[in-house]
Amino acid sequence: MSALPQGDRWVVLKFGGTSVSRRHRWDTIGKLAKKRADESGGRILVVVSALSGVTNELLAISEGASDSAQRVAALVGRHRDFCIELGLDPERVLGERLALLEGLLEDPRAPARSLDWQAEVLAQGELLSSTLGAAYLAGPRGLDFGWMDARDWLLSAPAGENQSAWSRRLSVNCQWQAQGDFKARFDAQPQRMLITQGFIAAHAEGGTAILGRGGSDTSAAYFGALLLASRVEIWTDVPGMFSANPKEVPDARLLTRLDYYEAQEIATTGAKVLHPRAIKPCRDAGVPMAILDTERPHMPGTWIDGSAAPVPGVKAISRRNGIVLVSMEGIGMWQQVGFLADVFALFKKHGLSVDLIGSAETNVTVSLDPSENLVSTDVLNALSADLAQICKVKVIVPCAAITLVGRGMRSLLHKLSDVWATFGKERVHMISQSSNDLNLTFVIDEAAADGLLPILHEELIDSGALPVASSDVFGVRWREITGDIRPRPTPWWKSQREKLLALAWEGTPRYVYHLPTVRERARALAAISAIDRRYYAIKANPHPAILRTLVEEGFGLECVSLGEIRHVLASVPGLSPQQVLFTPSFAPRSEYTEALALGVTVTVDNVELLQRWPDIFRGRQLWLRIDLGRGDGHHAKVTTGGKDSKFGLPTARVEEFMQLAQALEVRIVGLHAHLGSGVGNREHWRLMYDEMAGFARRIGSVRTIDIGGGLPIPYSADDEPFDLEDWAEGLAELKRVHPQFELVIEPGRYLAAEGGVLLASVTQVVEKEGIRRVGLDAGMHTLLRPALYDAWHDIDNLSRQGGYADAEFDVVGPICESSDIFGRGRRLPASTAADDVIVISDAGAYGYSMASHYNLRGLPAQDILDDAG
Ligand code: ADP
Ligand code: ASP
Ligand code: MG
C-alpha cells in the first residue's frame, strides 16, 4: 500500500439499489459524502447501483421479453416520478437518457439481442440513477459533486481462454492495477466529490461491458484499488456482514471485524451482501473495506482488512440455492489414470466451472455453481451427453449448498455433533471440506434447506462452535437492531449482593432461592385465562418453601415418584391428594398401588402396565400419557417424544390400550402429551393439539388435556425471554377450537429456574499452558446441568460485582471428572482470586434436585430469601 498523504486519498462509497431509491437516502448519501470528505481531508468517489428492481427489468428486456415496450415505459415513468420527488425537472435532467433507453428497443442489434446490445440495455439503470443523483446532490443539495461515466475509467480485463462469449461481455473482470497517470487524471477532476456508476465498464473491444449481477460492489473495489483509496465503504440495507443472512436468521450476529480471507469465503458461499469478486482487488491493494447501512449510518458495520487478529471458530453460515450436482458412476474408475482429466476436460469444454468434488471408488460427484451460463439447460444436456460416453451420469437438481465458514474448521468438528445430527435428518448428497480449512459444505435438496438455517445457527452458538462471546468479532443480533426483541429482565440477585455475600460467608456451595421471583413467574402463568389448571413439576425444585409458595399461588403439584408424593404431602400442610398429579415413568408396582391408595391422580403411559398389573388399575380413573411422535428439547437427552424416547404411549397403540382399559373398566379422564412451547411454530403445535383432542374425543371420557411444561427461560444473553403473550394467544386459540376440554399445564423450570442462584467460593486460580482456570468448591455434584447437557449458566464474580469482566477463564469444579466444567472462556474480572464468591445464575431448577454425593463431597446448603428488596 502506498503511503499517500491523507489529503490526497480518496474514499470510495458504494450505495446499493435500496440506498438510492428514496429521496431521504440521497440526503444521507450527500451528508455522508460531505462528512467523509471533511473527516479525511481527501476526496470522495460515490459509486451507485440502479434504483432497486431496475436491473431485473432491464434484464428481462435484454432477454427479449415480449412486453419489453411496456417495461421500458414503466421504467421511464418511474425515473420521471423519482425526478419529481427529488424536486428536479425530469426533462432537463433525464430527457436525453430516457430517450436513449427507448431508442435501444429500436436499435438494429435489438432483434438478434447481440451481447453488446444487451450490455447497453443493462447499463441504463446505473446511468440513470447516477445522473439523477448527481443532479440532486449538486443542485438542490448544493454539494461540490461531479458526474463521471465509469466507462471512461474501468476497462474489461482480457478474458480467460475458456470463458463463454456471454461472460466475456456480461460478467467481466476489470483491470485494477493502475496504468500510467490514472490517479493523476482522476485527481484532476474539478469537483471535490464525484459520482459514477457501478456494474459497468468499457469493453476492451468497444462498447459497454457488464460486471455481473451485484457487480456494483466490484466496481467500487476496482476504483478503490486503482486509486489506492484510504477505504471502500459498501453502503447497503443491513449494517454489515452477519453470521447468516439476517433476513433469514433474525438471530444472526453482526460480524464487526473480518480478515479478507474469511470475508471472501463468506461472500463466495452465498452472502449476497458483498459481491465475491469485490474483495480481491482491495486485498491486493491493501485497501480496507467496510459494510455499512444507509438507514442506520451510525452503526459501526463490518470492517474488513488484513490486520484482524484471527479468531478460531465458525463466523458464518451461508446458503446457495440452485446448485447442480453431477454424479458420475463408472466401474473401476478408481486409480484409472486420466479418468478425472477426461471428465474435467468436458466441463471445461462446456465452460462450466466445478465447485465441490466428492469421490469414491466408483463415483465422482461434483457441484456446479449457479453461474449464469448454467441457466440454459442446454449446457447441462450437452455435458451429460458427452459424459455419457465415459460413465453413467446423473444430474441432481435443485440442490442447496449450506456452508459453515470460519478459521480452523477441522479442529471444530467435535463441536458440530448437533449440526451433523440436524443434517442427518435430511438427505445429504455431498459433504465437502475446503482444503484451506475455511469451510465445510453440505449439499442437500433445495426444499430441505428451507427453515434449516435458523436451527443450524442456533446449534452452532449453543455448541460454542460459533464463538459469539468473542466481542472482537461478533456484535449485535439483527433482531436487536430491528427492535424485534425483548430484553432479559435484570436478575434479582444483582440487588441482593450484601445478603448473598453474608450467606456465602456461612458456607458454600449454597443455593439461594428468591421467592418473590418464583411468585412473579407463577402469577404471570396464572394470568393466562385459557389455562384452567396449573401444576408445578416439583422435580425442578422440591424445596418446601417453593412448594408452599406455589400452592398458595393456586398451583397443584406434579410428582414423578412416590418419594415426591410423600414429600409434597409432608411439606405442604393441608394439601389434598386431588391437587397432586403422579406421572411416573417405568415405576415399580408399589408406587402405583400406593399412589392410588393415597388418592392422587395417576397417569399411565403404556399397555404393558395394564397387562401386567390389571388388578391395580381395574375400575380406576386414570390419565393417559401419549407420545405424538415428535419431541423437542434443548438437548437430545431431554427430548421427550418419538421412537427414541421412553415416554408415552405411541399413537399407534392407543386403540389397543383403550380396548384393554375398557375390559378393566378403567376410565381415562385426562390425556397428557408434551407439546413444548409452540412459540414461533404455532401451526405445528396446533396440529399436535388437534391430534390430542381427536384422541380425547374418540376415548370419550376425557375431560382434561394436559400439554405438559417445557417453557424455556433465557439462560444466556443470547436467549430471549419466553414470549408469554404469544403463547397465551396460542393457547386461547386452542381453547376456542376445543372448548370442551379443561386445559392443564405443568411447568417446572419456568417457575423455579430464575428464582435460584448457586453461590460458590473460588478455591484456586490456576494457569496452565495459556488457559486460566477458576476452580470452585461447587462442581458437577452441585449443579449437573453444564456437565450433562452442556447447559449455559451465567457466571459472575459477586465479590467483584461491577468490576469489568476483562479476562477469560474456564470455570471448573473439584470433581475428578474432566466434564466437571461450568463454562469455558467465561469473562470475569482479571483480578478474580481465591475466596471470591461466584454466583451461578438461573440455578433454581434442576440444581439442588439433581445434586449428588459424588466423590463424597456432600450436598450444598439451601436458603430462602423472601422479601421484595
Ligand atoms: P445492495 O442492493 O445494497 O447491493 P444486496 O441486496 O445486494 O444489497 O445485499 C444486501 C442483502 O444481502 C441483505 O439485505 C441481506 O438480505 C443479504 N445477505 C445475505 N447474506 C448476508 C449476510 N451473511 N450478512 C448480511 N447480509 C446478507
Ligand atoms: N444493479 C446491478 C444488479 O442489480 C448491480 C448492483 O446492484 O450491484 O445486479
Ligand atoms: Mg449487492
Side-chain angles (χ1 to χ4, degrees):
M1 187 159 74
S2 99
L4 289 172
Q6 191 61 24
D8 249 13
R9 307 278 301 263
W10 287 80
V11 177
V12 180
L13 310 177
K14 178 261 168 176
F15 293 89
T18 51
S19 304
V20 296
S21 297
R22 304 289 305 280
R23 179 183 174 132
H24 74 271
R25 302 228 166 96
W26 277 104
D27 292 334
T28 308
I29 295 175
K31 269 188 226 142
L32 282 168
K34 172 96 177 33
K35 185 161 169 246
R36 290 292 184 267
D38 293 346
E39 279 165 3
S40 68
R43 298 177 65 185
I44 304 299
L45 173 65
V46 169
V47 176
V48 291
S49 289
L51 307 190
S52 57
V54 167
T55 307
N56 289 346
E57 287 302 298
L58 293 169
L59 187 63
I61 295 163
S62 76
E63 287 172 349
S66 57
D67 56 351
S68 287
Q70 286 99 302
R71 288 178 193 257
V72 167
L75 286 175
V76 169
R78 177 163 174 207
H79 285 88
R80 282 182 181 278
D81 289 350
F82 194 38
C83 254
I84 294 166
E85 190 186 329
L86 293 175
L88 301 169
D89 173 0
E91 206 38 55
R92 192 180 58 76
V93 175
L94 287 187
E96 233 171 87
R97 286 218 173 282
L98 291 170
L100 207 132
L101 169 62
E102 286 164 329
L104 277 169
L105 285 183
E106 314 304 327
D107 191 288
R109 295 168 297 173
R113 299 194 293 109
S114 67
L115 291 168
D116 60 336
W117 173 81
Q118 291 190 35
E120 215 64 55
V121 172
L122 287 169
Q124 299 310 311
E126 271 67 12
L127 287 164
L128 284 163
S129 64
S130 59
T131 306
L132 266 173
Y136 181 66
L137 295 173
R141 303 290 309 173
L143 295 167
D144 185 16
F145 252 101
W147 183 89
M148 288 193 337
D149 190 326
R151 293 169 295 186
D152 294 336
W153 301 93
L154 294 184
L155 180 67
S156 69
E161 168 194 353
N162 299 303
Q163 251 179 285
S164 64
W166 177 91
S167 65
R168 282 164 192 251
R169 176 63 70 169
L170 298 178
S171 186
V172 305
N173 289 304
C174 291
Q175 295 169 10
W176 71 79
Q177 282 84 11
Q179 308 289 320
D181 59 350
F182 185 95
K183 183 164 181 302
R185 282 195 294 128
F186 223 87
D187 288 345
Q189 301 300 306
Q191 297 87 356
R192 186 165 181 211
M193 297 178 279
L194 298 172
I195 180 166
T196 193
Q197 311 76 41
F199 194 48
I200 67 173
H203 199 284
E205 291 160 18
T208 301
I210 296 292
L211 273 59
R213 290 310 305 267
S216 295
D217 299 337
T218 321
S219 302
Y222 289 147
F223 278 113
L226 285 160
L227 294 169
L228 289 176
S230 54
R231 66 178 179 274
V232 169
E233 297 180 359
I234 306 287
W235 289 84
T236 181
D237 63 349
V238 288
M241 205 176 237
F242 280 70
S243 55
N245 181 355
K247 309 277 174 71
E248 195 177 348
V249 182
D251 272 322
R253 294 301 198 108
L254 175 65
L255 298 164
T256 47
R257 193 82 197 268
L258 289 170
D259 63 36
Y260 292 114
Y261 294 93
E262 279 179 319
Q264 177 73 62
E265 206 72 15
I266 298 171
T268 311
T269 56
K272 184 182 169 222
V273 63
L274 185 59
H275 196 283
R277 285 192 206 157
I279 297 166
K280 188 163 175 9
C282 287
R283 190 183 80 207
D284 286 358
V287 176
M289 306 180 85
I291 302 176
L292 298 151
D293 188 336
T294 319
E295 272 299 285
R296 306 167 185 89
H298 53 276
M299 286 202 59
T302 299
W303 187 259
I304 303 166
D305 65 10
S307 65
V311 173
V314 177
K315 303 297 152 39
I317 175 161
S318 355
R319 163 180 179 179
R320 272 170 301 162
N321 279 346
I323 301 283
V324 173
L325 278 189
V326 182
S327 153
M328 293 160 285
E329 202 75 46
I331 306 296
M333 63 166 67
W334 185 242
Q335 291 183 340
Q336 184 187 312
V337 174
F339 177 78
L340 278 181
D342 293 347
V343 163
F344 286 132
L346 294 174
F347 284 93
K348 176 174 165 183
K349 174 180 156 196
H350 292 283
L352 292 169
S353 89
V354 167
D355 182 25
L356 309 169
I357 305 173
S359 72
E361 197 169 341
T362 60
N363 176 286
V364 176
T365 300
V366 301
S367 81
L368 304 174
D369 260 342
S371 63
E372 282 144 295
N373 53 342
L374 249 187
V375 176
S376 129
T377 46
D378 290 355
V379 176
L380 273 182
N381 288 339
L383 172 80
S384 301
D386 279 356
L387 284 170
Q389 310 288 321
I390 44 176
C391 57
K392 230 167 90 192
V393 199
K394 196 165 124 211
V395 175
I396 308 169
V397 279
C399 293
I402 295 182
T403 305
L404 316 184
V405 180
R407 294 218 161 268
M409 289 305 304
R410 276 173 224 146
S411 58
L412 287 171
L413 289 178
H414 65 289
K415 293 190 175 168
L416 299 181
S417 56
D418 285 349
V419 168
W420 287 101
T422 299
F423 278 114
K425 292 180 198 145
E426 311 299 338
R427 229 178 103 213
V428 178
H429 295 299
M430 185 184 214
I431 299 173
S432 156
Q433 192 241 329
S434 67
S435 46
N436 61 6
D437 204 17
L438 271 174
N439 88 47
L440 182 65
T441 298
F442 298 79
V443 181
I444 59 176
D445 289 336
E446 208 175 276
D450 292 340
L452 213 54
L453 254 59
I455 299 170
L456 293 167
H457 189 265
E458 193 175 330
E459 285 169 350
L460 287 169
I461 291 180
D462 287 349
S463 65
L466 199 131
V468 288
S470 310
S471 49
D472 298 344
V473 178
F474 294 95
V476 291
R477 274 173 287 186
W478 171 248
R479 232 142 40 93
E480 286 171 76
I481 296 167
T482 55
D484 181 19
I485 198 162
R486 279 155 303 112
R488 279 200 302 175
T490 309
W492 61 269
W493 59 262
K494 296 228 165 170
S495 56
Q496 306 270 341
R497 180 170 183 258
E498 295 313 319
K499 253 182 226 167
L500 290 174
L501 285 175
L503 286 171
W505 186 246
E506 290 173 27
T508 50
R510 182 171 215 102
Y511 281 98
V512 184
Y513 310 124
H514 188 241
L515 293 187
T517 301
V518 175
R519 259 184 223 114
E520 205 180 290
R521 299 292 177 275
R523 287 176 191 173
L525 292 181
I528 299 176
S529 57
I531 302 170
D532 299 295
R533 248 191 306 154
R534 290 156 281 275
Y535 290 86
Y536 166 55
I538 79 146
K539 62 181 185 291
N541 186 335
H543 193 287
I546 290 185
L547 301 182
R548 286 194 289 267
T549 303
L550 289 169
V551 170
E552 277 162 26
E553 295 297 326
F555 279 73
L557 301 174
E558 191 240 354
C559 302
V560 292
S561 71
L562 186 60
E564 284 192 352
I565 299 178
R566 288 185 178 144
H567 172 73
V568 301
L569 291 173
S571 309
V572 186
L575 185 73
S576 100
Q578 278 88 58
Q579 287 168 275
V580 179
L581 266 187
F582 181 44
T583 319
S585 165
F586 291 89
R589 175 191 170 110
S590 57
E591 299 210 359
Y592 290 101
T593 19
E594 207 158 324
L596 287 165
L598 284 167
V600 306
T601 304
V602 175
T603 302
V604 292
D605 67 350
N606 61 69
V607 181
E608 289 78 357
L609 212 72
L610 299 190
Q611 287 168 340
R612 181 146 183 239
W613 302 317
D615 293 335
I616 301 183
F617 298 106
R618 195 183 307 278
R620 298 284 187 178
Q621 291 204 352
L622 300 174
W623 286 19
L624 169 64
R625 176 167 183 173
I626 51 179
D627 174 2
L628 296 174
R630 287 148 289 205
D632 201 11
H634 59 87
H635 189 278
K637 286 184 189 152
V638 292
T639 296
T640 51
K643 179 164 165 267
D644 295 332
S645 152
K646 68 170 183 149
F647 301 101
L649 178 74
T651 51
R653 296 190 74 186
V654 171
E655 196 60 45
E656 181 190 352
F657 178 92
M658 284 314 301
Q659 273 170 17
L660 192 53
Q662 266 150 20
L664 295 174
E665 289 174 1
V666 166
R667 266 169 68 81
I668 299 298
V669 293
L671 213 52
H672 171 179
H674 262 285
L675 242 55
S677 72
V679 170
N681 200 359
R682 221 187 267 175
E683 177 58 18
H684 170 76
W685 193 56
R686 200 179 47 70
L687 287 175
M688 286 174 78
Y689 192 78
D690 284 347
E691 207 178 329
M692 278 179 90
F695 281 114
R697 270 194 300 273
R698 254 174 281 155
I699 292 170
S701 48
V702 173
R703 293 190 302 266
T704 303
I705 293 186
D706 177 350
I707 59 168
L711 311 188
I713 66 125
Y715 278 105
S716 83
D718 279 313
D719 301 334
E720 219 186 327
F722 182 62
D723 192 343
L724 213 55
E725 249 173 64
D726 183 83
W727 188 62
E729 272 172 38
L731 288 176
E733 218 174 283
L734 302 184
K735 201 59 199 193
R736 262 196 302 280
V737 183
H738 306 284
Q740 66 273 46
F741 301 111
E742 177 193 50
L743 185 63
V744 162
I745 59 163
E746 47 177 64
R749 176 193 323 280
Y750 186 80
L751 291 161
E754 289 158 290
V757 293
L758 171 61
L759 301 179
S761 301
V762 176
T763 54
Q764 298 155 48
V765 179
V766 173
E767 167 158 2
K768 182 176 160 191
E769 292 171 38
I771 295 182
R772 273 186 288 183
R773 291 189 175 83
V774 169
L776 304 181
D777 55 4
M780 62 190 284
H781 63 303
T782 331
L783 177 65
L784 184 60
R785 300 187 71 252
L788 187 62
Y789 310 130
D790 289 327
W792 176 282
H793 286 264
D794 281 350
I795 302 173
D796 290 84
N797 187 333
L798 195 64
S799 303
R800 292 165 210 269
Q801 193 177 344
Y804 186 53
D806 50 357
E808 280 189 7
F809 297 92
D810 283 5
V811 180
V812 303
I815 295 294
C816 290
E817 289 281 346
S818 48
S819 56
D820 189 20
I821 298 174
F822 284 117
R824 288 185 199 272
R826 295 306 189 87
R827 294 197 85 87
L828 292 168
S831 54
T832 297
D835 299 330
D836 281 359
V837 176
I838 298 294
V839 58
I840 301 181
S841 292
D842 306 317
Y846 306 104
Y848 186 91
S849 64
M850 289 176 92
S852 76
H853 293 277
Y854 192 34
N855 285 192
L856 296 186
R857 288 209 168 270
L859 290 172
Q862 298 185 90
D863 286 300
I864 293 289
L865 289 183
D866 191 10
D867 61 43

